[in-house]
Amino acid sequence: MEHITNNKIELTNIVPSIPSMGGYVLFTGIVRNINEGKIVTHLEYEAYSELANQMINSILQVCRGKWDLQFANCLHRLGTLIVGEIAVIVSTGSVHRDEAYQANRYIIDRVKHEVPIWKKEYFQDGSSEWSKGCLHDSNHE
């Protein structure tokens, strides 16, 4: 399965039909119009797609070993994204909601901290800069 795409991500027919799945968590990362007090006009995402796909697959495999999941997926957009567009989707499903929540957070934290996907922000004042990445603490264990 490909986890990296240049195509616009839309939320249509995304919830899998799995009878044993009692909890389904869907996280979407959406391009916002402000960052650190500056007005954002758009973003550009770049990645080494082959390696990024392999790494996301590995993260999903580890996740399935940590939690009893019926479903786990991550899809990250590349290219130019405007404010309001979806940059990343992480979806997890399990018999119980707690596992789905924990697994979902685990996946997005690892993807944002480890996978070679680079984000450049463009601002209303004409400036741009590469994101410094997630600066918040995360606990992958």
Side-chain angles (χ1 to χ4, degrees):
M1 173 178 276
E2 294 297 314
H3 302 287
I4 302 295
T5 183
N6 288 308
N7 300 321
K8 186 174 183 177
I9 299 173
E10 298 188 55
L11 295 177
T12 56
N13 301 321
I14 200 145
V15 179
S17 177
I18 301 172
S20 62
M21 189 171 67
Y24 180 79
V25 176
L26 175 69
F27 168 80
T28 58
I30 302 167
V31 177
R32 63 182 181 269
N33 67 351
I34 193 164
N35 188 29
E36 297 181 8
K38 295 174 82 173
I39 304 296
V40 175
T41 59
H42 64 286
L43 304 178
E44 286 185 9
Y45 281 98
E46 295 181 12
Y48 175 33
S49 295
E50 185 177 335
L51 180 59
N53 271 312
Q54 290 172 1
M55 291 179 74
I56 292 171
N57 271 328
S58 176
I59 290 167
L60 293 173
Q61 286 177 344
V62 169
C63 194
R64 289 182 185 105
K66 291 174 77 69
W67 293 279
D68 184 19
L69 300 176
Q70 277 66 48
F71 185 84
N73 194 27
C74 175
L75 180 62
H76 202 297
R77 172 93 182 271
L78 299 181
T80 301
L81 284 74
I82 61 172
V83 171
E85 285 191 307
I86 296 170
V88 61
I89 290 178
V90 177
S91 50
T92 50
S94 62
V95 173
H96 303 288
R97 68 180 176 265
D98 189 48
E99 290 178 307
Y101 276 113
Q102 289 181 42
N104 198 285
R105 180 62 187 254
Y106 176 88
I107 293 166
I108 192 61
D109 283 350
R110 288 208 46 204
V111 167
K112 290 311 234 177
H113 284 91
E114 300 172 26
V115 178
I117 300 171
W118 302 279
K119 176 174 74 172
K120 190 171 188 179
E121 295 178 297
Y122 291 83
F123 303 103
Q124 189 176 42
D125 66 8
S127 66
S128 64
E129 61 185 51
W130 289 100
S131 172
K132 297 172 187 74
C134 292
L135 302 176
H136 66 278
D137 290 332
S138 66
N139 182 4
H140 304 310
E141 301 308 318

